Amino acid sequence: MDTGNNNDIPTLLKSNFPPYGRDFPGAIPTGRFSDGRVPSDIIAEKLGIAKTLPPYLGSNLKPDDLLKGVIFASGGSGYDSLTSTLLSVVSMSDQLKYFQEYLSKIKQHFGEEKVQFILEKSLFLVVASSNDLAETYLVRSVEYSRDSYAEYLVVLASDFIKDLTALGVKNIGVFSGVPVGCVPAQRTLFGGFTRKCYEDLNNMALHFNSKLSSSMDALSKELPSRLIYIDVYETLLDIIENPNTYGFEVADKGCCGTGTIELMVLCNKFTPFTCSDPSTHVFFDAYHPSEKAYQIITDKLIDKYQDYLHT
């Protein structure tokens, strides 16, 4: 979801260099972890807001941009505060602080009525868990089992939703975890010679999803906000398992380099073997989908949840 917030913070987790952005308008590497746009952009276009959404920390952000919508997401972050610490990115709690700062700017430039309009009418998307499950659990495993860590993340997610609601937000979509055991990097590390999906990690994501869905149901009865649980797991898994159906040729490797481990600084313009057409691959680097895959996923989700989006 990050459209470039990591560009100006001291982290290695960046993508503001080629070949990232090769299919973005103007072939500009913007800090989006893909060859082109990412779901936040695509959703905004589908809803008639804008073709792309700026990062909140972007240096070119103007007051009018705040009214269309902005992205607070930081690539590599997660519900667990340790996740953002390990990767030196913006934590979820700091993203919430930036959101409060954003509301102050709206009030300053456009007045209190506009603040209330945005809080009541805007759609707020909360997308996290992949980095927690795939990276941070390895550190947390001395104190948590896979299931208990997934349940711990649900508690953190629920607390985040409560904090967001306390600020006056009325419409919140919460994304499920994805089959992160099937991303190329995890296949490389744990999939053996056949590069199978790492099912322990997928099962952990499924356990997280089950508990998160139940938690969202409970919170929807407790909080004055409309909450919707958005299941992206099955949609992405179907694309990975049936790539030809969606017009892809490769699902177990990324387009960048060998496609097995390259992401961030390892996916660069000097990386040999990078594919010539990212649209043939489900993944652009060893962790993040290509723009074509993002487009298919987003289209399917908007079709599935369109009644919620338009009420």
Side-chain angles (χ1 to χ4, degrees):
M1 290 302 216
D2 185 3
T3 57
N5 281 309
N6 282 11
N7 290 352
D8 298 313
I9 62 173
T11 178
L12 289 175
L13 200 63
K14 297 179 191 288
S15 56
N16 55 347
F17 45 80
Y20 291 107
R22 61 191 292 174
D23 296 311
F24 192 79
I28 303 167
T30 58
R32 290 166 170 82
F33 286 91
S34 185
D35 57 299
R37 296 187 303 158
V38 292
S40 44
D41 300 311
I42 299 166
I43 292 168
E45 183 182 34
K46 282 280 185 179
L47 297 179
I49 298 166
K51 275 187 73 74
T52 60
L53 289 182
Y56 180 68
L57 300 182
S59 56
N60 296 321
L61 200 63
K62 299 177 179 63
D64 284 349
D65 294 330
L66 301 174
L67 297 178
K68 287 187 285 190
V70 292
I71 303 301
F72 299 92
S74 175
S77 192
Y79 290 119
D80 189 342
S81 59
L82 180 59
T83 302
S84 55
T85 300
L86 290 171
L87 294 166
S88 300
V89 296
V90 184
S91 67
M92 297 286 278
S93 59
D94 281 345
Q95 290 175 41
L96 206 60
K97 290 175 185 174
Y98 282 132
F99 174 59
Q100 290 173 275
E101 182 183 274
Y102 159 87
L103 294 178
S104 296
K105 289 180 180 178
I106 293 289
K107 182 177 180 180
Q108 175 190 341
H109 291 286
F110 304 103
E112 180 64 35
E113 282 189 19
K114 184 61 76 174
V115 172
Q116 291 308 312
F117 179 85
I118 286 172
L119 289 172
E120 292 176 13
K121 301 296 184 183
S122 294
L123 174 63
F124 295 84
L125 298 178
V126 180
V127 187
S129 76
S130 293
N131 300 296
D132 299 314
L133 296 168
E135 313 297 335
T136 311
Y137 174 69
L138 298 174
V139 181
R140 294 286 199 190
S141 61
V142 294
E143 51 185 320
Y144 291 98
S145 68
R146 288 190 177 277
D147 281 355
S148 64
Y149 184 64
E151 291 160 15
Y152 171 62
L153 292 179
V154 170
V155 172
L156 296 177
S158 301
D159 288 345
F160 184 84
I161 299 305
K162 290 175 185 175
D163 290 342
L164 199 53
T165 300
L167 295 174
V169 168
K170 296 299 183 188
N171 305 290
I172 305 172
V174 184
F175 274 57
S176 73
V178 300
V180 71
C182 290
V183 303
Q186 294 297 324
R187 290 179 188 255
T188 300
L189 293 171
F190 302 105
F193 292 116
T194 57
R195 297 186 56 74
K196 293 188 297 186
C197 292
Y198 183 29
E199 292 304 336
D200 285 355
L201 191 49
N202 281 352
N203 290 334
M204 193 177 175
L206 285 170
H207 188 67
F208 168 78
N209 290 347
S210 172
K211 297 296 183 181
L212 181 66
S213 177
S214 298
S215 179
M216 291 303 106
D217 285 343
L219 283 176
S220 66
K221 297 179 178 69
E222 173 190 329
L223 299 174
S225 300
R226 287 201 313 158
L227 301 180
I228 182 169
Y229 168 76
I230 300 173
D231 180 13
V232 70
Y233 185 99
E234 296 299 334
T235 301
L236 179 54
L237 186 64
D238 190 51
I239 294 170
I240 291 168
E241 291 182 339
N242 304 287
N244 295 342
T245 304
Y246 296 93
F248 296 106
E249 296 171 14
V250 183
D252 66 341
K253 294 180 180 180
C255 167
C256 189
T258 64
T260 57
I261 203 70
E262 295 90 353
L263 68 154
M264 307 183 306
V265 294
L266 296 178
C267 177
N268 58 65
K269 63 182 178 182
F270 304 110
T271 307
F273 316 121
T274 295
C275 77
S276 59
D277 183 3
S279 71
T280 60
H281 286 61
V282 175
F283 292 93
F284 181 66
D285 64 15
Y287 207 95
H288 303 92
S290 61
E291 181 181 21
K292 179 181 173 181
Y294 278 143
Q295 184 81 56
I296 293 169
I297 294 164
T298 306
D299 286 349
K300 290 172 80 70
L301 291 178
I302 286 178
D303 286 345
K304 185 175 180 180
Y305 297 103
Q306 61 181 333
D307 289 346
Y308 175 89
L309 292 170
H310 292 101
T311 55

